[in-house]
């Protein structure tokens, strides 16, 4: 549904749209530097403008944090509906001061992230591959946000975790960063090099030898 505030998906008394403007406070330098994802994605000795892939883009909020931190980010989103919402959010953000420069470093690709990573393996080197497999919420988790509930109606949690991780490693980035539930097991049983933990989630980092 097209609305003045942007393309919106409505259903079951819930609405879903990509709205990067509400992320502006988190993009302030003093807050951005404390974001767990930004800290997890830091690389040393990389290019002046590091390159990242968000293999499971969703509505693009994680990719926005990476772009604000200076990364050029390729976003893969395989669900056509979510991709349309994300494309609309990016288009609106390009017209907004404070966001235009950041989203200028974001490129959306509609397609499967694992396949896209395999195709990128022969291209220019990557610094970071990030993905959030959308781990299932607990049935009685009352704190689950409506937005995530609607996303889960469109996208099931990743079932072939091994294939996604294998594709990320095959792209030969400096680092792979995986979002996990705080007390959940490592993705596909791969022990990370190190992890950064918050109150609800953690970021497992796999540092690849150079």
């Amino acid at each position: 549904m097209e609305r003045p505030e942007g393309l919106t998906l409505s259903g079951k008394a819930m609405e879903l749209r990509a709205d990067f403007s509400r992320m502006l406070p988190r993009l302030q330098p003093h807050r951005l530097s404390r974001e767990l994802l930004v800290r997890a994605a830091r690389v040393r000795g990389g290019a002046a403008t590091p390159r990242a892939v968000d293999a499971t883009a969703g509505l693009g909020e994680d990719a926005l944090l990476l772009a604000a931190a200076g990364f050029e980010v390729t976003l893969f989103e395989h669900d056509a509906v979510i991709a349309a919402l994300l494309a609309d959010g990016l288009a609106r953000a390009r017209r907004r001061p404070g966001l235009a420069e950041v989203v200028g470093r974001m490129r959306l690709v509609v397609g499967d992230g694992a396949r896209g990573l395999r195709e990128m393996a022969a291209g220019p080197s990557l610094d970071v591959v990030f993905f959030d497999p959308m781990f299932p919420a607990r049935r009685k988790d009352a704190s689950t946000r409506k937005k995530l509930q609607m996303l889960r109606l469109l996208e099931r949690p990743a079932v072939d975790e091994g294939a996604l991780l294998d594709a990320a490693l095959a792209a030969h980035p400096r680092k792979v960063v995986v979002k996990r539930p705080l007390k959940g097991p490592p993705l596909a049983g791969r022990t990370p090099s190190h992890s950064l933990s918050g109150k609800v989630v953690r970021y497992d980092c796999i540092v690849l030898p150079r």
Side-chain angles (χ1 to χ4, degrees), residues 40-47 50-55 66 71-72 113-114 116-118 120-131 164-178 190 193 204-210:
R42 286 174 182 158
V43 291
R44 295 181 180 180
R51 300 178 66 239
V53 168
D54 184 343
L66 294 175
F71 286 87
E72 288 187 353
L117 284 167
R118 288 192 290 269
M120 296 178 76
S125 61
L126 294 171
D127 292 283
V128 174
V129 173
F130 166 75
F131 53 91
L164 187 56
L165 182 56
D166 287 346
L169 296 172
H172 306 296
R174 291 176 176 269
K175 181 186 289 187
V176 176
V177 179
V178 187
R190 174 68 181 252
S193 305
D204 287 349
C205 305
I206 302 173
V207 180
L208 279 68
R210 307 304 293 179

Side-chain angles (χ1 to χ4, degrees), residues 22-187:
R22 67 180 192 83
M23 295 279 290
L24 278 168
R26 295 176 64 183
L27 305 188
Q28 298 301 312
H30 68 284
R31 291 189 59 181
L32 185 66
S33 63
R34 298 199 299 265
E35 289 281 348
L36 280 180
L37 173 56
V38 172
R39 290 169 55 196
R42 286 174 182 158
V43 291
R44 295 181 180 180
T49 303
R51 300 178 66 239
V53 168
D54 184 343
T56 54
L59 292 181
E61 294 181 358
D62 290 318
L64 184 74
L65 292 174
L66 294 175
F71 286 87
E72 288 187 353
V73 188
T74 300
L75 300 81
F76 287 100
E77 175 51 52
H78 76 90
D79 184 90
V81 175
I82 295 176
L85 295 173
L86 176 53
D88 178 72
L90 289 169
R92 285 182 283 109
R94 292 188 186 100
R95 300 191 294 268
R96 174 149 186 172
L99 287 173
E101 180 181 355
V102 175
V103 300
R105 292 190 287 272
M106 300 167 65
R107 181 176 71 94
L108 173 62
V109 178
V110 183
D112 178 69
R115 179 181 300 174
L117 284 167
R118 288 192 290 269
E119 293 173 353
M120 296 178 76
S125 61
L126 294 171
D127 292 283
V128 174
V129 173
F130 166 75
F131 53 91
D132 173 4
M134 284 188 65
F135 42 86
R138 292 171 294 183
R139 291 183 180 178
K140 297 183 180 180
D141 185 1
S143 65
T144 300
R145 293 181 299 176
K146 288 184 177 180
K147 181 178 73 175
L148 293 181
Q149 291 175 341
M150 290 196 74
L151 283 173
R152 289 189 177 100
L153 292 176
L154 295 169
E155 287 192 291
R156 297 292 181 89
V159 291
D160 196 349
E161 297 177 339
L164 187 56
L165 182 56
D166 287 346
L169 296 172
H172 306 296
R174 291 176 176 269
K175 181 186 289 187
V176 176
V177 179
V178 187
K179 187 176 182 179
R180 300 299 290 154
L182 183 60
K183 297 183 179 180
L187 188 75

